[in-house]
Amino acid sequence: MTLITILCIYTAFLLFISFMQISFLKKEREKQAVILEENDYKNAANIAIENEKYKIFSNLYNLVINISWISFGFLYLKEFFIKENSTLENTLFLLAFLLIISVLNLPLSYYESFFKDKKHGFSNMTLTLFIKDSLKSLALMLIFGFLITYALVFCFEFFGDYWWIVAFGLSFVIILIINLIYPTLIAPIFNKMQKLDDENLLEKISNLMQKCGFSANGVYVVDASKRDKRLNAYFGGLFKSKRVVLFDTLLNALKEKELIAVLGHELGHFVHKDLLKMLFASTLMLFALFFIFAHLPDFFYIQSHLNGVNAGVFALLLIFGNIFTFIISPLLNKMSQANEFNADLHGAKVSSKEDMKNALIALAKENKAFVKTSKIYTFFHLSHPCIFDRIKALQ
């Protein structure tokens, strides 16, 4: 089987899931509205259908790009960068690959921000902000990408048959460091973060965290609305860098009790040690990923013109790694969905079932998210259960 055939089969299955989801959405759209009002229900279904069509195009677009890399792209990069197969040459080879991929993805990002999302009233993105964000992202990729790729190529060249174990350990440490510095160093590059100045709400959030045994380095509000109107909140960072981050859109859209329920949900993940469970599962997945790609058959390198390139294994991992994660995604999704149901119950416990239910409805309404998904789509794609199932479980 050729590499192009593998990519085509993978993409064909993704398209099959999308077409099944579109068929499901069209049927559900004609049924009596649930959870949302009639107009919101149908509008959310139409947006979900459009998003799925966009996903179909994106998958086909990525297929063409990946086939191009396999057919001639890697050959050109190899001829341009690899002369003596040194660590620096391989690092530049891999960095150029990442840079080209990022540039090729810009049209999709531009369309999503300025056409698809603006059409439905989500995006507040301006051209100036889009350019600034893109340049910042590329700069971070060049700086950190060079350091990380150099370290990985070094592992491959100097640790023999066991390079993948060292590379796995290094990648795990890098992931921990990124999580550690993200809320304090990376996120502020793109968004302005200010401490929550509502003393009454801050006191309630602090009391809630204290009851759950969760300590955080402050509660912050991020100006997410300058890019997008959708609602969100998260707990970012590790150890002393942990922060509670609230989107300004969330503060404006939810009532205080609903907001406490949402934060109770997020704290439920902490109480149930979901983050540690998912970290352990992700670590096993990362270990398996490095093991598999360290033992690829030679035809992977020959057909992609990467034979003799030390960085070739990492280029193949970036091309074909999604297939591996897709295959095991049902297991991770099942774990994550169970965690979400339990976190909802915790949110209801610290507030009330009605507040948690109203918060979920408000999130669905403001985010214009359709409340149902097909079983196959849920199985392969959803880390969070659909709103319909979450409210059903609460009741």
Side-chain angles (χ1 to χ4, degrees):
M1 183 180 294
T2 66
L3 300 186
I4 292 176
T5 302
I6 293 173
L7 291 172
C8 288
I9 292 173
Y10 168 63
T11 303
F13 196 68
L14 292 179
L15 298 185
F16 170 74
I17 295 173
S18 289
F19 284 123
M20 291 291 288
Q21 176 70 354
I22 290 173
S23 176
F24 171 84
L25 291 168
K26 287 181 177 179
K27 291 177 182 177
E28 291 297 322
R29 180 180 59 186
E30 303 308 316
K31 295 180 180 180
Q32 184 177 356
V34 294
I35 299 176
L36 300 175
E37 296 179 0
E38 187 73 26
N39 288 337
D40 292 332
Y41 184 83
K42 291 188 179 297
N43 186 43
N46 290 331
I47 292 174
I49 291 170
E50 186 174 335
N51 287 338
E52 212 55 41
K53 290 178 178 178
Y54 169 75
K55 188 179 292 183
I56 290 172
F57 174 80
S58 298
N59 287 326
L60 290 172
Y61 180 79
N62 288 323
L63 174 63
V64 172
I65 290 175
N66 289 336
I67 289 176
S68 299
W69 281 115
I70 296 298
S71 302
F72 57 85
F74 286 136
L75 178 61
Y76 288 150
L77 277 188
K78 178 180 177 180
E79 291 177 347
F80 187 84
F81 285 102
I82 307 299
K83 307 299 181 184
E84 300 176 357
N85 207 18
S86 67
T87 306
L88 180 60
E89 287 176 354
N90 279 274
T91 300
L92 294 176
F93 172 91
L94 206 54
L95 198 60
F97 169 61
L98 291 171
L99 180 62
I100 294 170
I101 287 291
S102 298
V103 172
L104 290 174
N105 282 331
L106 283 177
L108 293 179
S109 299
Y110 183 86
Y111 174 80
E112 192 169 5
S113 294
F114 289 97
F115 291 92
K116 186 171 73 70
D117 285 352
K118 276 193 181 292
K119 175 184 175 182
H120 301 298
F122 290 130
S123 178
N124 289 326
M125 182 70 75
T126 64
L127 182 59
T128 301
L129 187 57
F130 180 82
I131 293 173
K132 286 182 178 179
D133 283 352
S134 300
L135 291 175
K136 288 176 183 178
S137 297
L138 288 174
L140 287 172
M141 189 200 70
L142 289 173
I143 295 169
F144 291 105
F146 178 84
L147 297 174
I148 293 170
T149 53
Y150 189 94
L152 290 173
V153 172
F154 180 87
C155 290
F156 180 87
E157 293 177 346
F158 289 93
F159 288 97
D161 293 339
Y162 301 101
W163 70 266
W164 61 274
I165 299 177
V166 182
F168 154 74
L170 176 65
S171 300
F172 178 74
V173 171
I174 290 171
I175 291 171
L176 288 181
I177 292 174
I178 291 174
N179 278 280
L180 182 66
I181 67 174
Y182 178 81
T184 54
L185 296 179
I186 299 177
I189 295 174
F190 297 92
N191 288 95
K192 184 184 294 183
M193 286 191 175
Q194 295 181 326
K195 286 196 172 184
L196 180 65
D197 57 6
D198 185 332
E199 294 296 333
N200 180 53
L201 179 59
L202 181 61
E203 183 181 357
K204 291 183 178 180
I205 294 174
S206 299
N207 289 337
L208 177 62
M209 291 191 296
Q210 189 174 6
K211 287 179 182 178
C212 298
F214 182 88
S215 59
N217 184 24
V219 180
Y220 290 80
V221 179
V222 62
D223 59 342
S225 59
K226 72 179 183 181
R227 291 184 181 84
D228 198 284
K229 295 179 182 178
R230 280 167 280 213
L231 317 182
N232 201 5
Y234 66 90
F235 292 81
L238 296 170
F239 312 118
K240 293 184 178 181
S241 73
K242 292 198 297 290
R243 284 184 176 183
V244 179
V245 181
L246 309 174
F247 283 26
D248 54 356
T249 51
L250 188 76
L251 289 175
N252 295 330
L254 296 188
K255 297 175 182 177
E256 189 176 273
K257 288 183 178 181
E258 296 168 354
L259 181 61
I260 294 298
V262 169
L263 293 177
H265 166 98
E266 296 298 333
L267 284 168
H269 289 304
F270 169 76
V271 171
H272 301 141
K273 295 181 171 53
D274 293 339
L275 300 179
L276 291 176
K277 295 174 189 174
M278 295 306 294
L279 178 63
F280 179 73
S282 299
T283 302
L284 289 179
M285 184 188 76
L286 186 65
F287 183 85
L289 189 67
F290 271 100
F291 174 80
I292 291 170
F293 278 83
H295 298 86
L296 287 177
D298 290 340
F299 79 86
F300 271 83
Y301 297 94
I302 296 170
Q303 290 185 17
S304 60
H305 310 286
L306 287 169
N307 46 314
V309 180
N310 290 341
V313 62
F314 303 110
L316 288 173
L317 192 152
L318 291 168
I319 293 285
F320 291 94
N322 286 337
I323 298 177
F324 170 79
T325 54
F326 176 77
I327 291 172
I328 66 169
S329 61
L331 177 62
L332 294 178
N333 289 339
K334 194 69 176 177
M335 289 178 59
S336 179
Q337 289 164 16
N339 292 341
E340 293 303 318
F341 284 128
N342 289 330
D344 282 344
L345 291 175
H346 189 269
K349 180 180 178 182
V350 301
S351 184
S352 71
K353 284 188 177 182
E354 194 65 23
D355 290 333
M356 191 69 240
K357 174 185 172 183
N358 290 337
L360 290 173
I361 294 172
L363 289 170
K365 182 178 179 180
E366 294 296 326
N367 292 339
K368 299 178 183 179
F370 194 61
V371 295
K372 295 182 179 180
T373 55
S374 63
K375 289 183 178 180
I376 189 171
Y377 194 88
T378 301
F379 186 72
F380 281 104
H381 285 315
L382 291 190
S383 60
H384 287 51
C386 65
I387 297 295
F388 180 82
D389 290 339
R390 292 172 70 174
I391 291 178
K392 184 179 178 181
L394 277 173
Q395 293 173 334

